[in-house]
Amino acid sequence: MTSPWEYSDFDDHEGLHLFRDPAAGLTAVVAIHSTALGPAAGGVRFWHYADRVDAITDALRLSRGMSFKNAMAGLPMGGGKGVILADAVRRKTPELLAAFGRAVDSLGGRYVTAEDVGMSVEDLVAIARETKYVSGLPVGEGRAGGDPGPYTAKGVFLGVRAAIRRALGKESAAGVHVAIQGVGSVGGGLARLLAADGAKLTLADMDRGRAERLAAELGAQTVAASEILGVEADVVSPCALGAILDAQSIAALKTPVVAGGANNQLATLADGDRLHARGILYAPDYVINAGGIINVGLEYLGQGDRAEVEARIAHIPARLEQVWDESVATGDPAATVADRIAMRLIGRA
Ligand code: NAD
């Protein structure tokens, strides 16, 4: 049995909390990576894991990513992540959600939860009956907050345009070919924004029907999910699950740019080196996909309206430029540079 200290993804996390409520069917993990900049913010994932070690590993990795993301987004928030271990049929009951709410509440505000894979706005509303340490709740017209997906998509769109400008010297996506892996909340929103900007799109989703319906609406092409990372295009945009960039997939890439919304795209940091060695411009995931956390972070802090959210999302391209400039100046891969800047910001340089 591996002790938490021996997990390769343990990075001096401030806390790792395990919760059990058998009567409610709850088994959950909350990892708090850092509260140096403020309460540890990050969504809760509802997922069926092969075993508990995988769940803890996911919470450790994702919470560290949230520390980096929140710091780079300029939010006064640290990084944390919740993981609820779903059973094989992914039964999500009111009792389970209430028990998770009590678990979050017991941390006294050190961790603030929100939506992640497998969790809806309605689920967060149920959790919020037990704790005030929640964001991503329905909000009034014009207020910051609510579903983070469209805001993440907007930030990724602006980041893709910045990458296009840098790598291809073009001011818009008109005529630029973008291959999108995963057309759910983020990838679907991105596809719509790119289509409106005149991009040529190739779409893929594990749910082939979903990709085909969107392609019909936007006049795009589709390919099988297994082929999307090898499409010959200007940009490949990973917007599905993580760890999809590894030695094999990077060797097969036929695009000068990788810029997409998925979390933890690199299987390992060495894959950031591989992209760099191939001369591929990479937009570090937690820099480009911060739009959603900016939205729910400002909601939690009670600090803003939609105009403020949009203004902060508009800074994402400048942060990417900072990373790419430092990458050119130092010769280090963009992924390494982004980690270095983020660690500096949270006082762990
Ligand atoms: P989603 O569930 O709405 O959509 C994901 C889509 O990807 C689904 O349609 C699914 O069928 C598809 N998919 C899964 N594996 C695939 C594969 N191998 N090939 C092709 N398609 C595949 O999720 P989402 O909210 O759009 O999130 C997508 C990614 O963006 C995740 O990595 C998530 O962690 C990250 N992210 C989301 C947000 C947000 O605000 N929703 C914020 C930051 C990061």
Side-chain angles (χ1 to χ4, degrees):
M1 182 53 84
T2 317
S3 90
W5 322 101
E6 285 151 18
Y7 279 72
S8 60
D9 290 292
F10 182 75
D11 175 45
D12 287 338
H13 285 66
E14 288 180 16
L16 180 64
H17 305 267
L18 309 180
F19 294 96
R20 280 282 291 154
D21 187 333
L26 178 77
T27 304
V29 183
V30 173
I32 295 179
H33 178 255
S34 168
T35 57
L37 298 181
V44 53
R45 182 165 289 196
F46 182 77
W47 194 252
H48 178 61
Y49 290 91
D51 61 41
R52 291 174 183 191
V53 169
D54 286 357
I56 293 172
T57 298
D58 218 18
L60 290 171
R61 286 193 79 189
L62 290 164
S63 61
R64 181 175 188 262
M66 289 310 302
S67 279
F68 288 8
K69 187 186 301 200
N70 294 337
M72 291 296 261
L75 290 169
M77 303 189 101
K81 201 81 182 185
V83 163
I84 300 176
L85 286 80
D87 61 18
V89 292
R90 301 188 190 192
R91 206 178 352 238
K92 200 195 292 161
T93 62
E95 292 76 22
L96 180 142
L97 294 169
F100 184 71
R102 289 192 295 277
V104 170
D105 203 60
S106 73
L107 296 172
R110 282 172 55 74
Y111 168 64
V112 180
T113 197
E115 290 88 352
D116 192 61
V117 176
M119 295 294 284
S120 65
V121 173
E122 293 70 37
D123 296 333
L124 271 296
V125 169
I127 290 169
R129 291 194 192 104
E130 305 290 335
T131 182
K132 62 182 185 222
Y133 307 121
V134 182
S135 57
L137 299 171
V139 287
E141 188 60 30
R143 302 299 305 159
D147 181 9
Y151 295 94
T152 304
K154 179 70 186 294
V156 175
F157 168 68
L158 296 178
V160 167
R161 289 237 308 211
I164 288 170
R165 196 177 317 120
R166 188 154 186 127
L168 311 175
K170 294 191 173 172
E171 282 306 318
S172 81
V176 174
H177 184 187
V178 184
I180 304 180
Q181 179 189 44
V183 289
S185 177
V186 175
L190 172 67
R192 287 196 169 83
L193 291 166
L194 283 168
D197 204 30
K200 175 184 170 202
L201 299 175
T202 300
L203 312 177
D205 199 291
M206 291 288 269
D207 177 348
R208 186 100 201 220
R210 190 175 213 182
E212 277 167 5
R213 282 190 298 278
L214 187 62
E217 179 192 324
L218 301 178
Q221 303 289 313
T222 62
V223 295
S226 57
E227 290 170 22
I228 190 73
L229 294 180
V231 167
E232 201 165 329
D234 297 305
V235 179
V236 70
S237 186
C239 293
L241 294 184
I244 40 78
L245 296 171
D246 57 18
Q248 203 183 346
S249 63
I250 290 170
L253 288 174
K254 297 194 192 77
T255 57
V257 175
V258 174
N263 280 316
N264 293 336
Q265 290 168 35
L266 303 175
T268 67
L269 196 55
D271 297 306
D273 303 352
R274 291 190 177 98
L275 288 169
H276 186 71
R278 282 207 54 197
I280 292 172
L281 185 70
Y282 171 61
D285 44 22
Y286 56 81
V287 183
I288 193 173
N289 73 13
I293 193 72
I294 289 171
N295 178 47
V296 297
L298 292 186
E299 170 195 340
Y300 181 75
L301 297 165
Q303 277 181 2
D305 53 15
R306 287 209 176 155
E308 173 69 15
V309 174
E310 295 281 347
R312 290 192 183 218
I313 290 174
H315 282 125
I316 288 176
R319 286 202 194 89
L320 289 169
E321 291 290 351
Q322 181 194 356
V323 170
W324 291 328
D325 285 347
E326 192 170 318
S327 172
V328 170
T330 60
D332 293 330
T336 305
V337 169
D339 282 5
R340 194 161 58 218
I341 297 173
M343 284 196 280
R344 224 157 42 211
L345 290 170
I346 64 170
R348 292 201 184 190

